[in-house]
Amino acid sequence: MAWRRLSRLNLFRATSSSSINYLFSSTSPEVTRLSSLSASLSPQFPKLTGFSGYSRRWYSSNPGYAEAVTGGELVEVPLAQTGEGIAECELLKWFVQEGDEVQEFERLCEVQSDKATIEITSRFKGKIHQINFTPGDIVKVGETLLKILTDGHESNSLDRTSPVNTGTIDTDGENQSEMPSVSGGVLATPAVRSLAKQYGLDINQIRGTGKEGRVLKEDVLNYAISKGLICTPDTDKVETFNEGSESRSSFVSTSAYQDTTIPLRGFHRAMVKSMTLAARVPHFHYLEEINFSALVELKEAFKKENKDQSIKHTFLPFLIKSLSTALTKFPLLNSSLSEETNEVILKGCHNIGVAMATDYGLVVPNIKMVQSLSILEITKELSRLHELATHNKLNTEDVTGGTITLSNIGSIGGKFGSPLLNLPEVGIIALGRIQKLPRFDENGNIYPASVTNVTIGADHRVVDGATVARFCNEWKNLIEKPQLFLLHMR
């Protein structure tokens, strides 16, 4: 069976052999609707009449398939562009299964890019006809996630395991991984076929346990185990050693000494890219000690007067707000460098990012327009971002547009660190843990002080050491003397 992708390009190619009258009308940037098609195509194309639908469809010249979708359309749902510069996403989970009825705007799946976790919803009403990927697969933008049979029509007459109905897919040079690969009577996704190839297995010899005999990842792994290519974690051997009159048993796990490959996905991949870029930028670090004693007393006062149990007062909101005040005097620390134009861009908003370590990797959401927020508003926004980050629900807006980053390594236990830049930002700050240490007052008397180390990393192409030192002194003064901070409040 010969498949052809009906697209604007193919129609123009066909005009050399036949006359085509058609009308295109745009319904969205990604989709072009073909409203009418008359006359006949060249001999290699079947005659199509009364056709309407989107250009991203697969059609067959096989009559049985045409009858299977009479009155309905088999609609492909591709992975759309989820953000600027995003070329691929990891499929986290499906909310639907093959055969399920779906409504418009109903959730289909959840994917994760380098920047955020996104839910894909349906633009059509119909039945899930075919799912092309499994959780854990990497899906490129434009690849078909699944197919929906609209208007509730089934396509049971289509035998996907029949060699007649599963010929070569002609995409005119486009990415062929958009369709599930069917060869030799075996149905499997490209990711599963790649896994089988990785172990040197013939996928045609693997018995599929999925719907309609589809070969799943588990089928490939189980087959590899049966061939001795993989050792199961519970394959333990008991060895007995005789030493004179004594004997001892040692449990040796065959899997305990095997290498484990962990793919870089989601936020972890984003961190690798960001840190690789940061290593190419000349930067330096400035270390200072700040006395938090006054701030500790202020925090305790906030906690005593707190009547809202949903609000948890910490040092971070005050540090973020005072940092914004210091940035007002030193805007160069709240800027970015445009290498293309060789210009420094001073950011109008203080979008302060806060590094958060989660089970899904390091993520840096940012609080927008801190200069216009109160400390209480910052506390609530910080709590919201932390909740979303914990459940891997941050959206693109939350993690983009940051102007400077604050990393509280002290919450884990570190005294100080040397943070790398979160480009294109010019500055990043690492806070160590608060320690109770002896210090001298102005009269030479020893007193206990709550001190912490602050490390500022800066892009040396934009700022110098003197600028960072003055900026840090301004911020330090606001932290050590909160009463002075009131003078700058609006």
Side-chain angles (χ1 to χ4, degrees):
M1 176 184 61
W3 293 82
R4 295 287 177 181
R5 167 69 66 90
L6 290 181
S7 64
R8 188 191 298 261
L9 179 60
N10 286 343
L11 289 175
F12 276 117
R13 290 176 177 173
T15 56
S16 59
S17 58
S18 62
S19 175
I20 300 174
N21 297 319
Y22 61 92
L23 175 64
F24 284 103
S25 62
S26 297
T27 59
S28 72
E30 297 83 17
V31 180
T32 304
R33 176 172 292 277
L34 182 60
S35 60
S36 66
L37 174 67
S38 61
S40 61
L41 303 177
S42 56
Q44 65 267 30
F45 290 94
K47 183 175 181 179
L48 300 176
T49 58
F51 173 87
S52 65
Y54 293 98
S55 61
R56 290 189 59 80
R57 307 285 190 276
W58 290 98
Y59 292 92
S60 169
S61 59
N62 181 277
Y65 185 81
E67 294 174 0
V69 295
T70 300
E73 293 181 86
L74 193 58
V75 180
E76 291 182 355
V77 179
L79 175 63
Q81 188 77 34
T82 59
E84 184 179 356
I86 301 300
E88 60 187 19
C89 294
E90 177 187 359
L91 177 63
L92 296 182
K93 63 181 176 181
W94 286 104
F95 298 113
V96 295
Q97 298 177 348
E98 292 184 353
D100 288 354
E101 295 285 347
V102 294
Q103 304 295 324
E104 286 187 81
F105 309 112
E106 184 175 341
R107 296 186 306 171
L108 297 176
C109 64
E110 186 177 64
V111 298
Q112 184 182 50
S113 68
D114 292 349
K115 298 181 179 179
T117 302
I118 303 163
E119 289 184 352
I120 305 296
T121 58
S122 175
R123 295 188 292 111
F124 308 96
K125 176 182 178 182
K127 176 179 288 188
I128 302 299
H129 174 70
Q130 182 173 301
I131 292 177
N132 293 341
F133 295 92
T134 57
D137 289 344
I138 298 296
V139 186
K140 295 186 181 299
V141 171
E143 286 187 324
T144 302
L145 287 167
L146 77 164
K147 297 179 181 180
I148 298 178
L149 191 62
T150 61
D151 298 332
H153 290 266
E154 299 183 3
S155 58
N156 294 331
S157 61
L158 171 60
D159 182 8
R160 290 196 297 272
T161 62
S162 171
V164 177
N165 295 338
T166 57
T168 303
I169 301 173
D170 181 5
T171 60
D172 291 329
E174 297 184 20
N175 188 355
Q176 297 190 15
S177 63
E178 291 184 354
M179 289 293 292
S181 178
V182 187
S183 177
V186 175
L187 181 65
T189 63
V192 173
R193 292 184 177 277
S194 176
L195 182 63
K197 188 176 181 181
Q198 177 182 337
Y199 290 111
L201 300 175
D202 183 1
I203 198 169
N204 297 302
Q205 298 178 0
I206 302 176
R207 181 178 177 273
T209 59
K211 188 174 181 180
E212 299 182 5
R214 175 178 299 190
V215 178
L216 307 176
K217 279 187 175 180
E218 294 77 8
D219 300 329
V220 175
L221 294 176
N222 290 334
Y223 188 76
I225 291 173
S226 67
K227 292 294 184 180
L229 300 176
I230 304 177
C231 295
T232 57
D234 55 352
T235 304
D236 297 332
K237 294 181 180 180
V238 180
E239 298 181 1
T240 303
F241 301 91
N242 293 321
E243 298 180 358
S245 60
E246 298 181 357
S247 66
R248 60 188 179 87
S249 295
S250 174
F251 290 87
V252 181
S253 174
T254 59
S255 62
Y257 305 105
Q258 293 182 347
D259 295 341
T260 302
T261 302
I262 302 176
L264 297 178
R265 302 287 175 83
F267 298 137
H268 197 175
R269 293 180 61 183
M271 184 177 67
V272 170
K273 294 179 182 178
S274 177
M275 295 301 97
T276 302
L277 291 174
R280 293 168 21 200
V281 174
H283 59 277
F284 67 96
H285 293 96
Y286 178 84
L287 179 63
E288 178 62 281
E289 180 184 280
I290 299 180
N291 190 335
F292 271 48
S293 297
L295 193 57
V296 170
E297 295 178 4
L298 188 62
K299 174 191 170 185
E300 291 302 319
F302 286 161
K303 291 174 66 176
K304 287 182 180 179
E305 297 297 327
N306 183 26
K307 295 185 171 76
D308 189 348
Q309 298 301 320
S310 63
I311 298 177
K312 182 180 178 181
H313 289 289
T314 63
F315 297 112
L316 209 50
F318 185 90
L319 296 175
I320 292 173
K321 184 62 181 179
S322 58
L323 176 62
S324 174
T325 303
L327 289 175
T328 303
K329 288 190 175 182
F330 296 89
L332 207 56
L333 270 297
N334 194 66
S335 65
S336 65
L337 174 65
S338 174
E339 297 184 12
E340 292 80 10
T341 60
N342 203 27
E343 295 175 336
V344 175
I345 304 171
L346 301 179
K347 301 296 183 178
C349 296
H350 298 167
N351 299 339
I352 299 178
V354 180
M356 297 180 182
T358 70
D359 294 338
Y360 306 95
L362 178 67
V363 61
V364 188
N366 60 82
I367 302 174
K368 301 290 193 297
M369 298 185 67
V370 174
Q371 70 270 32
S372 64
L373 300 179
S374 66
I375 294 178
L376 186 59
E377 289 172 331
I378 294 172
T379 301
K380 293 179 180 179
E381 178 66 4
L382 195 61
S383 177
R384 182 189 74 86
L385 293 174
H386 185 269
E387 180 71 15
L388 292 176
T390 302
H391 295 91
N392 199 25
K393 295 294 184 182
L394 290 168
N395 57 48
T396 305
E397 179 67 18
D398 293 327
V399 296
T400 56
T403 58
I404 191 170
T405 297
L406 196 61
S407 178
N408 185 17
I409 60 173
S411 60
I412 302 175
K415 293 182 179 180
F416 64 89
S418 300
L420 293 178
L421 294 174
N422 185 22
L423 294 176
E425 299 171 14
V426 165
I428 183 171
I429 302 171
L431 296 167
R433 64 184 175 92
I434 299 176
Q435 299 174 278
K436 201 80 166 181
L437 298 174
R439 290 294 182 266
F440 291 95
D441 62 16
E442 296 177 354
N443 298 321
N445 300 317
I446 297 178
Y447 70 97
S450 299
V451 299
T452 187
N453 293 315
V454 174
T455 307
I456 303 177
D459 188 340
H460 216 329
R461 302 173 302 175
V462 180
V463 293
D464 54 28
T467 302
V468 173
R470 294 188 185 97
F471 160 75
C472 188
N473 289 337
E474 177 69 21
W475 188 35
K476 176 182 178 179
N477 198 38
L478 295 174
I479 295 174
E480 294 184 341
K481 300 174 182 177
Q483 63 273 19
L484 297 180
F485 179 62
L486 296 177
L487 298 176
H488 303 278
M489 296 295 289
R490 295 178 179 177

